Amino acid sequence: MEVPQILQFVDESVYTQTGKHLNDLQRRIVRGILNRQKYADVAETYGYSEKHVKKVSHELLQMLSDVFGEQVKKSNLESVLERKINFNIVLGSKNNHNNTVTIGSINSCPIPSSVNLDQSQTETIEKLRKFGLSDKQIAEALKLSLEDIKQINM
């Protein structure tokens, strides 16, 4: 998964738990950690003091620890995110359970083949693809035919 998709995952996870999105500096810190930058480099690149970046980073990592239900440090952020991205894709409406990411609202009733998909379903299919699910997995999860899923081009 590329850094923009990882940032989206982190932002959605934080929003699900806190009701707030990551701010610009928090996103830059996550990007910096994933790119193995030092706090001094992040500070210099974006015009902040190193002390401020360290303070915001400490608060961010504590918040991510709360969101993901395990201690998150600069040294283990990548492995925590890898586990969470690969394990915690939950289909359904917004919820307050720890360790979950919500991806749209999905009708779980069987849908006949050749159905016209609405905008919400199309967006959900595209999101699931971005999270690395195959068309076959998406079809099974949404109870749609594989042909219906393949109709949606990215």
Side-chain angles (χ1 to χ4, degrees):
M1 205 174 224
E2 300 296 321
V3 173
Q5 288 86 8
I6 293 170
L7 284 170
Q8 180 180 352
F9 172 82
V10 173
D11 185 61
E12 289 176 1
S13 298
V14 167
Y15 182 77
T16 297
Q17 294 295 314
T18 69
K20 296 180 183 178
H21 290 284
L22 295 176
N23 64 37
D24 290 343
L25 180 54
Q26 291 169 327
R27 293 177 69 84
R28 290 169 176 166
I29 290 169
V30 171
R31 182 184 302 273
I33 292 171
L34 295 174
N35 289 326
R36 293 173 175 61
Q37 289 182 302
K38 296 182 180 195
Y39 291 139
D41 297 332
V42 173
E44 183 178 329
T45 300
Y46 297 109
Y48 296 99
S49 73
E50 182 178 355
K51 183 177 179 181
H52 182 64
V53 170
K54 283 182 179 181
K55 178 182 181 263
V56 172
S57 177
H58 175 76
E59 294 166 355
L60 172 63
L61 293 173
Q62 181 58 53
M63 179 176 56
L64 294 178
S65 295
D66 295 340
V67 167
F68 294 127
E70 65 179 276
Q71 187 174 19
V72 178
K73 299 185 261 181
K74 184 178 179 182
S75 61
N76 74 347
L77 176 64
E78 188 173 356
S79 61
V80 169
L81 292 177
E82 184 177 318
R83 279 194 304 280
K84 298 304 177 181
I85 288 169
N86 289 328
F87 183 72
N88 290 315
I89 297 176
V90 175
L91 304 176
S93 60
K94 183 177 174 186
N95 61 57
N96 291 320
H97 300 295
N98 285 335
N99 305 328
T100 61
V101 174
T102 301
I103 307 176
S105 179
I106 298 171
N107 182 350
S108 63
C109 298
I111 300 174
S113 185
S114 302
V115 68
N116 290 326
L117 301 177
D118 64 29
Q119 180 71 21
S120 174
Q121 288 172 311
T122 300
E123 289 172 1
T124 300
I125 291 166
E126 290 171 353
K127 248 185 191 177
L128 292 172
R129 283 180 174 152
K130 286 180 184 176
F131 280 111
L133 273 69
S134 70
D135 285 353
K136 182 178 178 185
Q137 291 169 318
I138 295 169
E140 290 174 12
L142 301 180
K143 298 187 184 346
L144 294 170
S145 73
L146 186 56
E147 292 74 28
D148 290 334
I149 302 299
K150 288 182 177 180
Q151 288 177 8
I152 308 301
N153 295 325
M154 286 195 68

